[in-house]
Amino acid sequence: MRQFIWALVLLSPLSLAASPQEEITQVITAQQQAWNQGDLDSYMKGYWQSEHMRFVTQNDFRYGWEPTLAAYKKHYPNKAALGELKFTIHHIQLLSDVAAIVVGRWELTRQKDNPKGVFTLLMEKIEEQWLITHDHTSE
């Protein structure tokens, strides 16, 4: 009986650990919440803070965390422009223990319009945190 109890004590933290898919979903959910609070600086915590981070949209290739944040702040200068963001994750495919592809949809609800589109993210586990290292977003 004592061995059974010790086994439960030793294994219980394992059952509490989140799966990579859950950790990735948490990052994207936190981004959605930050956006909807008008906090682009917190939104960007989901991205790899590196000059090697890539963002591709429409006809634009952007390299680096800082230029990406600056572009977000330029295109979404206030809460009305930000609107209400909703992400829908359709699929998370683990490529390895430290890399995953995330495919989904995004939708903005604003007073003047309702833009929406799709995204494909490469997320990598860097220093024990899942971060977006490549974002391809389109309408």
Side-chain angles (χ1 to χ4, degrees), residues 67-88:
T68 300
L69 175 59
Y72 271 125
K73 288 185 174 185
K74 177 182 176 186
H75 291 94
Y76 302 95
N78 54 45
K79 184 63 176 131
L82 285 165
E84 189 78 13
L85 176 64
K86 179 183 177 191
F87 285 131
T88 305

Side-chain angles (χ1 to χ4, degrees), residues 108-127:
L108 280 181
T109 302
R110 301 188 288 202
Q111 192 165 10
K112 65 177 184 167
D113 61 2
N114 186 249
K116 54 186 132 194
V118 296
F119 62 83
T120 302
L121 308 173
L122 173 60
M123 294 189 71
E124 297 181 60
K125 195 164 192 175
I126 300 170
E127 297 178 6

Side-chain angles (χ1 to χ4, degrees), residues 5-18:
I5 293 171
W6 274 110
L8 285 177
V9 169
L10 291 174
L11 293 176
S12 63
L14 296 176
S15 64
L16 297 176

